[in-house]
């Protein structure tokens, strides 16, 4: 669900309840009816709170369900608010820069672009990541980041402007780690990319984590920064 959809539904619900409240309030005759208006608005507030708490229930995702699918899926969760979506690859391409680009798509047209699994762009989120460079291996090597160098992030801002961060990044190997993704375990190496701004920078420190299969080089899981507004995304490879 997009940010817009998530906001429109509660607002529509609020509009319906508020309209009823205004009709009742219009029937009141003067200052002596003020307590009734207060009571009505209290009821409105309670109903809006209840509606905002309601969340659509998703069927549980099991390994049996995933095994029945022929398509490739990743799961993406916005860490700050817990919103979750399941994305399929829309486009795979190669350019002159190392690594293969995959564009992933949700049902409501939010897209994430990744180079060898490293997030490089978003569309449909708040203050989108317009572009980002990525330090990755050549196609055919293990996924995830590599080496030491600068990463340049550009994010959408107000008035059709953009905000640019240039960070100095270092990738460290934190060693072997076993992870579990919906009833399956994987032997991985945990790589951590630590990126820092220079003196006087506003973006502080960004820490991205990647869990990469020790044998195949497949990126199974990651936690990656999507910008100062969206925060971190938790990404899991569900099917190949």
């Amino acid at each position: 669900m997009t940010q817009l959809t998530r906001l429109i539904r509660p607002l529509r619900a609020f509009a319906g309840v508020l309209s009823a409240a205004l009709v009742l309030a219009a029937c009141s005759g003067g200052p002596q009816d003020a307590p009734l208006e207060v009571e009505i608005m209290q009821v409105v507030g309670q109903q809006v709170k209840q509606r905002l708490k309601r969340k659509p229930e998703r069927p549980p995702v099991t390994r049996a369900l995933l095994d029945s699918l022929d398509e490739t899926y990743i799961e993406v969760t916005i860490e700050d608010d817990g919103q979750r979506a399941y994305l399929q690859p829309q486009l795979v391409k190669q350019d002159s820069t190392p690594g293969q680009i995959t564009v992933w798509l949700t049902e409501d047209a939010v897209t994430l672009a990744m180079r060898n699994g490293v997030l490089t762009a978003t569309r449909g989120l708040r203050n989108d990541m317009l572009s980002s460079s990525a330090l990755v291996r050549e196609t055919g090597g293990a996924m995830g980041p590599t080496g030491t160098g600068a990463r340049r992030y550009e994010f959408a801002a107000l008035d059709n402007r953009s905000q640019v961060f240039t960070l100095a990044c270092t990738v460290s190997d934190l060693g072997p780690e076993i992870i579990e993704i919906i009833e399956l375990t994987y032997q991985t190496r945990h790589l951590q990319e630590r990126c820092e701004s220079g003196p006087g920078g506003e973006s502080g420190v960004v820490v991205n984590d990647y869990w990469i299969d020790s044998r195949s080089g497949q990126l199974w899981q990651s936690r990656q920064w999507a910008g100062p507004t969206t925060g971190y995304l938790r990404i899991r490879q569900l099917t190949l």
Side-chain angles (χ1 to χ4, degrees):
M1 180 182 295
T2 62
Q3 299 287 346
L4 182 60
T5 303
R6 189 166 175 263
L7 288 172
I8 285 176
R9 289 181 177 176
L11 288 174
R12 284 176 177 167
F14 175 80
V17 177
L18 184 59
S19 296
L22 291 175
V23 169
L24 290 174
C27 297
S28 60
Q32 69 273 16
D33 295 315
L36 176 59
E37 294 178 9
V38 171
E39 183 177 346
I40 289 171
M41 294 311 297
Q42 287 175 343
V43 172
V44 169
Q46 291 171 358
Q47 292 191 26
V48 169
K49 285 181 181 179
Q50 290 300 317
R51 295 189 185 216
L52 288 174
K53 287 180 181 178
R54 295 174 189 168
K55 294 182 179 179
E57 293 186 3
R58 292 181 181 271
V61 177
T62 64
R63 183 52 53 181
L65 172 61
L66 295 175
D67 288 343
S68 70
L69 303 176
D70 295 327
E71 298 85 3
T72 299
Y73 282 97
I74 59 172
E75 175 192 82
V76 177
T77 304
I78 300 176
E79 194 170 271
D80 284 348
D81 61 14
Q83 286 193 80
R84 181 178 302 161
Y86 299 95
L87 290 74
Q88 288 186 276
Q90 179 191 36
L91 175 68
V92 178
K93 65 178 183 178
Q94 184 75 43
D95 59 13
S96 59
T97 305
Q100 181 174 270
I101 300 169
T102 304
V103 178
W104 298 85
L105 177 69
T106 69
E107 291 182 356
D108 48 2
V110 174
T111 61
L112 305 181
M114 301 185 196
R115 186 183 294 275
N116 276 20
V118 177
L119 184 66
T120 58
T122 70
R123 295 295 184 271
L125 299 178
R126 296 175 298 167
N127 299 106
D128 274 314
M129 179 187 291
L130 301 178
S131 66
S132 170
S133 59
L135 304 170
V136 301
R137 298 171 178 83
E138 296 286 347
T139 303
M143 298 179 70
T146 186
T148 298
R151 285 195 69 181
R152 183 182 184 276
Y153 290 97
E154 183 177 6
F155 297 97
L158 297 175
D159 300 323
N160 293 320
R161 298 184 179 182
S162 63
Q163 186 176 22
V164 175
F165 300 119
T166 300
L167 308 180
C169 300
T170 302
V171 178
S172 302
D173 187 338
L174 302 185
E177 191 170 327
I178 298 174
I179 64 169
E180 186 271 334
I181 300 177
I182 307 183
E183 303 171 46
L184 287 182
T185 58
Y186 302 95
Q187 299 276 352
T188 71
R189 295 202 72 83
H190 181 184
L191 300 187
Q192 187 172 87
E193 181 183 42
R194 182 179 178 87
C195 302
E196 301 184 43
S197 59
E202 298 180 355
S203 54
V205 177
V206 170
V207 178
N208 299 315
D209 291 279
Y210 306 83
W211 287 265
I212 299 167
D213 195 287
S214 301
R215 293 177 295 179
S216 68
Q218 171 67 43
L219 176 60
W220 289 114
Q221 179 174 284
S222 64
R223 177 181 183 265
Q224 301 189 54
W225 189 58
T229 303
T230 299
Y232 283 91
L233 303 180
R234 288 186 275 117
I235 305 168
R236 302 196 297 176
Q237 187 80 41
L238 300 183
T239 61
L240 292 176

